[in-house]
Amino acid sequence: MRPTNAALTIWVSFALAIGLALTQTDSYDVRESTVEGVHNALYSDLTSCRSIVESFIARIEAYNPAINTIITLNPNALSIAEEKDYTLAAGNTTGALFCIPVLLKDNYDTSDMHTTGGCLDLADSQPTVDAPVVAALKNAGAIILGKTNLHELALEGLTVSSLGGQTINPYDHTRTPGGSSGGTGAAVAASFAVFGTGTDTVNSLRSPASANSLFSVRPTRGLISRAGIIPISFTQDAIGPIARNVHDLALALTVMASVGYDPDDNATALTPSSLIGQDYSAALYNGSLQGVRFGLVEGFFNRTASNETTPVNQVFDDMTAALTSAGATVVPITSNIFNSTAISNAYDTQRLEFRQDMDTYLSQASLQGTRPSTLNDLYSSGKYLVIPSQYSYVNTALVSSTGNTTYTGIKFGIQNLTVALEDTFKADSLDALIYPEQANLVVKIGSPSQSGRNGILAAVTGSPVVTVPAGFSPSTANAPLGVPIGMEILGLPWTEAKLLNMARLIAEVNRVRRMPKSTEAAVESAQLVGVPKILPDTKDIPKVYPIGIL
Ligand SMILES: *[C@@H]1O[C@H](CO)[C@@H](O)[C@H](O)[C@H]1NC(C)=O
Ligand SMILES: *[C@@H]1O[C@H](CO)[C@@H](O)[C@H](O)[C@H]1NC(C)=O
Ligand SMILES: *[C@@H]1O[C@H](CO)[C@@H](O)[C@H](O)[C@H]1NC(C)=O
Ligand SMILES: *[C@@H]1O[C@H](CO)[C@@H](O)[C@H](O)[C@H]1NC(C)=O
Ligand SMILES: *[C@@H]1O[C@H](CO)[C@@H](O)[C@H](O)[C@H]1NC(C)=O
Ligand SMILES: *[C@@H]1O[C@H](CO)[C@@H](O)[C@H](O)[C@H]1NC(C)=O
Ligand SMILES: *[C@@H]1O[C@H](CO)[C@@H](O)[C@H](O)[C@H]1NC(C)=O
Ligand SMILES: *[C@@H]1O[C@H](CO)[C@@H](O)[C@H](O)[C@H]1NC(C)=O
C-alpha cells in the first residue's frame, strides 16, 4: 500500500522524532540499576531502550562465561527494545515495567523461547503460549532478556543441570549460587537484568537470594498463578521475583500477582478479594521498626561452631542487635516444632505429587516440540541429571501419587503444623518469624546437597516469606567480600505488604547488599547487531554426577 502524501508527512516527522530518540547512544551504566533508575534515564532522554538492553547484554557477554547463568538469550530482545523506543517517541510509556529487562528461570513457559527445566530431554520443548505471569510481565512493558539455569527440574539447590551445567556463585567461585533458582540469583547479583524470577517448592527462591545478597518474595499459596510453570508439587510450589532492592521486588510482585484468579491454578481462588490489584510498592515507606515483634527461631540455627556455621550465627547476633536498637523486640522461639529436618521428614508432599503434576504439565496441548509425554518417559530417556542424593527421591516419585495411603495423613499433619504456627504468632504477639535461610554457608561446588536450609516450614504451610540480605562471612581468598548470608522474614498468610515494609526498614538499618567483586567492573557496550545464543557450558558438571543413571 502506497502512503498518501499527508500520511507520508506524518510518517516522516514521526520517523525523525524516533531517529532522534534512537541516536541517543550514550551507554547507561546498568550496574545495580533499579526500575526507577532505568525509567529516569529513559524518560529524560539520557538513553534509549535499545541502549539499555545492549548494556545488559554486554554484561552478560562479558561475565556469563565465568558464572554460567544463562540457558537462552531472547533473539528478539533488541528488536523489542527498538519497538519500545518507537512507542516512547510516540509518547506512550504504558506499563509499570516499561523497558525493564527481566530474566526468567527456565521453568516459566515462554512462547518465544524453549522451556527446558535445564533438562536435556526437554531441550526442544516449545510452549505456544506464555505462562499467565509471563504475559503479565510483558503487558507491563518488561523485556524478557532470556532464560536462566536452574537445578535440573528445580529438584535440588545446587543449580547444576544436564542442559545448563553448573552455575557459579559470583561472590565465591568455589561455591554454588544456592538454588534451585540459582541461575536467576547469580545473574541478578551480577546485574545481568533489573530483576529475575524463580520458583520455590522448598527453598528455591530464598536460597539463591540468600546466597547472592538479594531480596526475594515467596508469596502466600494462591497469590500468584502457577499455570504454565514446570511443576513439582501442587501443595508446595510457589513462584516469585528476585531483586536487588525491596522497591523493585514490590513492583515485580505487583505485576506478577496482577494475574489474579486463574482457572488453570485453582489455588488462586484463595486470594482475598481485597488483595486483587494490590500495589505492593504503596506501603513500603510507611512506619518504623519501633514496637515490631520478631520471633527468632532457635531451632533453625546450627550451633556447632565451624567455619560454615559460626559466620551465620554471628551475622544473626548482629542483626538482632540492629533490630533491637531500631526499637523492635526480638523474642527467642524455642518450641521443638521448629525443626526443619523433622518437618521435612513428616510433611513434605513432593514425592507424592510430582509425577501427577508433571504428567499434567507434559500433556498440555499448548506444548510443542519433541519431548517426553510423561515423567516416566523423561527418566526412561536417560537425558537428565540426577545427583546421587536424589536417587531415592526420584525413584519413589516415579511410583507414587496422591492416591498413596500416606497422602491424607500428611495433609492433616500440615494442617496441624499450620495451626501450631498461628499459635506461635498469637502467643507472643509476633509480627513475623526470622531465621537464616541456611544455617550454614551456601555449599561448595561438588557437594552432595545444599544442606542446612530452612525453607520447608513456609513451603508446606503456604506462608509468605520475604528474604533479605543479612550479612557476609569473613573475607577469604575465594570470597573477597565474604559469602552472602540471608534472612527469611515469615509472616501469616496474605501479609506480603507488611513483610515488604519490614524488609525495606531492615534494609535501611542494616545496609548489606554489595555487588560481587568478580563482576564489579563496568562493561563498555558495543553496538550489537544481533543477540547471540549463549551456549550453556556443560563441561563444568562435576564428574560425580552421572547423567541418566538411576
Ligand atoms: C500504548 O502501549 C500499550 C502497551 O504496549 C498498548 O496496549 C496501547 O495500545 C498503546 N497506545 C497507543 C496510543 O499507542
Ligand atoms: C485443584 O487442582 C488440583 C491440581 O490440579 C486438583 O488436584 C484439585 O482437586 C483441585 N481442587 C479443586 C477444589 O478443584
Ligand atoms: C502510607 O502512608 C501514606 C502517607 O502517609 C498514606 O497515605 C497511606 O495510606 C499509608 N499506607 C498504608 C498502607 O499504611
Ligand atoms: C577456617 O577458617 C580459618 C580462618 O580463615 C582457616 O585458617 C582454616 O583453615 C579454616 N578451616 C577449615 C576447616 O577450612
Ligand atoms: C530434629 O529432628 C531430627 C529428625 O527427627 C532429629 O534427629 C533431631 O534430633 C531433631 N533436632 C532437635 C534439636 O531436636
Ligand atoms: C506409594 O506407593 C507405592 C506403591 O505401593 C510405593 O512403592 C511408594 O513407595 C509409595 N510412596 C510413598 C512416598 O510412600
Ligand atoms: C493433628 O492434631 C490432632 C489434634 O491435636 C491430633 O489428634 C492428630 O493426631 C494430629 N494429626 C497429625 C497427622 O499430626
Ligand atoms: C551443623 O554444622 C556442623 C559443622 O559444619 C556439621 O558438621 C553438621 O552436619 C551440621 N548439622 C546439621 C544438622 O546440619
Side-chain angles (χ1 to χ4, degrees):
M1 191 184 75
R2 283 179 63 88
T4 64
N5 274 353
L8 195 63
T9 309
I10 291 169
W11 189 86
V12 167
S13 41
F14 182 65
L16 280 175
I18 287 158
L20 272 179
L22 296 185
T23 54
Q24 305 288 343
T25 53
D26 290 344
S27 74
Y28 172 65
D29 187 352
V30 296
R31 289 175 297 169
E32 301 291 298
S33 57
T34 63
V35 171
E36 197 180 19
V38 167
H39 281 173
N40 286 343
L42 197 58
Y43 299 156
S44 58
D45 278 348
L46 278 178
T47 188
S48 64
C49 184
R50 182 182 163 112
S51 174
I52 286 167
V53 169
E54 281 179 350
S55 301
F56 281 107
I57 292 172
R59 287 190 63 78
I60 293 174
E61 289 187 332
Y63 291 121
N64 195 65
I67 57 175
N68 190 39
T69 66
I70 307 287
I71 286 188
T72 313
L73 274 183
N74 185 351
N76 301 318
L78 289 174
S79 59
I80 295 169
E82 278 173 13
E83 278 167 33
K84 303 268 183 221
D85 281 323
Y86 281 84
T87 315
L88 183 59
N92 187 356
T93 58
T94 49
L97 300 177
F98 184 80
C99 185
I100 298 301
V102 172
L103 284 163
L104 302 176
K105 186 178 184 179
D106 201 12
N107 57 359
Y108 279 59
D109 279 0
T110 45
S111 59
D112 44 5
M113 284 172 273
H114 292 143
T115 297
T116 70
C119 178
L120 275 172
D121 205 29
L122 290 172
D124 194 36
S125 185
Q126 181 57 65
T128 54
V129 293
D130 288 328
V133 79
V134 174
L137 287 165
K138 288 183 177 175
N139 284 338
I143 298 179
I144 309 303
L145 219 47
K147 312 283 291 284
T148 58
N149 195 27
L150 61 155
H151 195 97
E152 182 116 358
L153 298 174
L155 293 178
E156 234 292 357
L158 302 165
T159 307
V160 57
S161 69
S162 59
L163 185 63
Q166 173 71 61
T167 299
I168 311 288
N169 191 312
Y171 291 89
D172 179 345
H173 287 191
T174 68
R175 293 182 190 263
T176 80
S180 62
S181 317
T184 296
V188 173
S191 292
F192 289 176
V194 174
F195 69 87
T197 68
T199 62
D200 185 322
T201 304
V202 187
N203 293 283
S204 289
L205 280 159
R206 295 165 279 163
S207 160
S210 167
N212 294 282
S213 203
L214 298 168
F215 298 83
S216 72
V217 56
R218 179 194 156 98
T220 309
R221 179 186 300 131
L223 187 68
I224 305 182
S225 169
R226 303 160 299 178
I229 311 290
I230 300 178
I232 298 172
S233 157
F234 179 80
T235 301
Q236 293 173 217
D237 287 347
I239 72 171
I242 300 179
R244 288 185 294 269
N245 65 79
V246 181
H247 192 246
D248 289 352
L249 191 71
L251 293 173
L253 176 65
T254 299
V255 170
M256 294 176 79
S258 72
V259 173
Y261 174 68
D262 179 358
D264 292 330
D265 177 2
N266 61 27
T268 55
L270 298 168
T271 304
S273 56
S274 62
L275 290 182
I276 310 285
Q278 163 107 354
D279 173 2
Y280 289 95
S281 67
L284 280 188
Y285 298 94
N286 286 8
S288 81
L289 290 171
Q290 192 70 45
V292 173
R293 294 177 61 82
F294 293 105
L296 181 71
V297 182
E298 181 51 38
F300 286 180
F301 287 82
N302 182 335
R303 298 299 185 184
T304 307
S306 74
N307 283 359
E308 301 300 307
T309 51
T310 306
V312 177
N313 297 335
Q314 181 63 52
V315 156
F316 272 77
D317 287 347
D318 296 347
M319 176 65 86
T320 300
L323 295 177
T324 307
S325 65
T329 302
V330 178
V331 184
I333 303 297
T334 54
S335 159
N336 66 6
I337 65 163
F338 297 106
N339 175 332
S340 290
T341 309
I343 294 172
S344 186
N345 290 346
Y347 304 129
D348 197 327
T349 60
Q350 298 177 77
R351 277 184 182 76
L352 297 157
E353 295 177 333
F354 182 35
R355 183 170 57 82
Q356 275 170 308
D357 290 352
M358 193 63 176
D359 287 354
T360 304
Y361 173 84
L362 290 170
S363 64
Q364 289 176 105
S366 59
L367 280 192
Q368 294 186 349
T370 313
R371 68 195 146 76
S373 51
T374 64
L375 185 64
N376 271 295
D377 283 356
L378 188 157
Y379 281 108
S380 319
S381 75
K383 291 157 73 181
Y384 58 84
L385 180 149
V386 171
I387 58 175
S389 60
Q390 291 177 294
Y391 288 170
S392 126
Y393 168 86
V394 171
N395 281 322
T396 311
L398 289 174
V399 293
S400 303
S401 76
T402 54
N404 275 49
T405 50
T406 46
Y407 186 68
T408 313
I410 290 174
K411 295 290 269 190
F412 277 125
I414 289 175
Q415 280 178 23
N416 280 12
L417 180 65
T418 307
V419 170
L421 181 60
E422 298 244 5
D423 284 345
T424 304
F425 272 79
K426 183 101 184 156
D428 279 304
S429 306
L430 299 177
D431 293 294
L433 292 178
I434 53 174
Y435 50 88
E437 158 32 50
Q438 300 217 180
N440 43 276
L441 300 181
V442 69
V443 300
K444 296 274 187 181
I445 286 167
S447 300
S449 74
Q450 195 75 51
S451 60
R453 298 187 297 170
N454 291 313
I456 189 71
L457 174 64
V460 296
T461 58
S463 310
V465 174
V466 173
T467 303
V468 298
F472 286 91
S473 67
S475 163
T476 63
N478 290 325
L481 292 177
V483 179
I485 293 166
M487 179 170 87
E488 294 197 25
I489 311 171
L490 181 150
L492 291 174
W494 318 113
T495 59
E496 280 82 357
K498 179 175 170 177
L499 296 176
L500 287 164
N501 181 275
M502 287 179 198
R504 203 273 304 169
L505 293 162
I506 291 170
E508 201 137 282
V509 298
N510 192 13
R511 290 177 185 276
V512 171
R513 175 162 173 81
R514 280 190 282 164
M515 60 178 142
K517 286 270 182 230
S518 72
T519 60
E520 176 179 72
V523 174
E524 280 303 313
S525 81
Q527 283 281 310
L528 299 166
V529 286
V531 181
K533 185 180 186 314
I534 297 255
L535 288 175
D537 184 3
T538 46
K539 74 178 187 306
D540 284 334
I541 298 176
K543 296 290 176 284
V544 290
Y545 307 143
I547 292 187
I549 300 166
L550 210 59

